[in-house]
Amino acid sequence: MLTKTKIIEYLKKQNRYKIDSIDKDHITIRKGSAIVTVHSKKFLQKEWVEFNSLVVKNADVDKKLMRMILDINYKLPIGAFGLQKDSIVFKHTILAGDHLNYEDFSIALMVVASISDKYDDIIANQHGGTTALTTIF
């Protein structure tokens, strides 16, 4: 898949993030305590690149936390917090294929990694749960 080749090329080019793993489905990178998976997928007969980060697992998802992440979502120009089973996640998707360029890729990755790294400890400290780094390693 051409997009996966571009993703790997772009990750190596920017040299900002540690590549933890490359497998057939996704590439995993780390920034501070944030872990971001990057993978391409087909949707509406187009190829997309999806950036996902597990922010906190097993947090106490109460009204205060929901308001906090919705307020943050409103202020952010790209990406969004969401719920996935028992976890708070942050994700962003961009059109790929022939449209994938280094600048858009780098901005999307920087936003997902930075926001996840900034808020994982805040959420875990205020609402319990564990950060991705603690959960996975």
Side-chain angles (χ1 to χ4, degrees):
M1 187 177 290
L2 179 60
T3 300
K4 184 170 182 181
T5 304
K6 277 187 182 178
I7 291 169
I8 293 167
E9 174 190 326
Y10 290 169
L11 284 170
K12 289 180 178 177
K13 181 178 177 181
Q14 67 180 323
N15 202 22
R16 266 189 212 162
Y17 308 103
K18 179 185 182 303
I19 299 174
D20 280 339
S21 67
I22 300 173
D23 65 29
K24 75 178 192 98
D25 295 323
H26 62 273
I27 299 140
T28 304
I29 64 101
R30 191 180 328 169
K31 179 185 187 316
S33 57
I35 296 172
V36 179
T37 58
V38 182
H39 69 276
S40 60
K41 68 182 206 176
K42 291 276 189 182
F43 182 70
L44 298 175
Q45 300 179 351
K46 299 215 181 264
E47 197 169 6
W48 303 81
V49 175
E50 193 169 81
F51 303 83
N52 292 300
S53 181
L54 167 64
V55 180
V56 175
K57 188 172 181 69
N58 295 321
D60 178 19
V61 181
D62 59 9
K63 188 176 177 179
K64 183 179 176 186
L65 176 56
M66 294 304 297
R67 176 170 288 288
M68 182 179 94
I69 64 175
L70 286 172
D71 285 344
I72 296 166
N73 282 350
Y74 178 75
K75 294 172 186 170
L76 293 173
I78 65 171
F81 283 100
L83 297 175
Q84 184 182 33
K85 297 180 185 174
D86 62 347
S87 302
I88 304 293
V89 296
F90 191 81
K91 81 182 267 185
H92 181 63
T93 305
I94 58 174
L95 185 60
D98 294 336
H99 305 283
L100 184 62
N101 66 62
Y102 178 73
E103 184 178 9
D104 291 344
F105 176 88
S106 296
I107 289 168
L109 179 59
M110 181 205 53
V111 168
V112 172
S114 298
I115 294 294
S116 298
D117 188 39
K118 176 179 179 178
Y119 286 101
D120 58 358
D121 292 322
I122 293 169
I123 293 171
N125 289 335
Q126 293 179 4
H127 299 277
T130 56
T131 65
L133 195 58
T134 306
T135 301
I136 296 170
F137 293 102

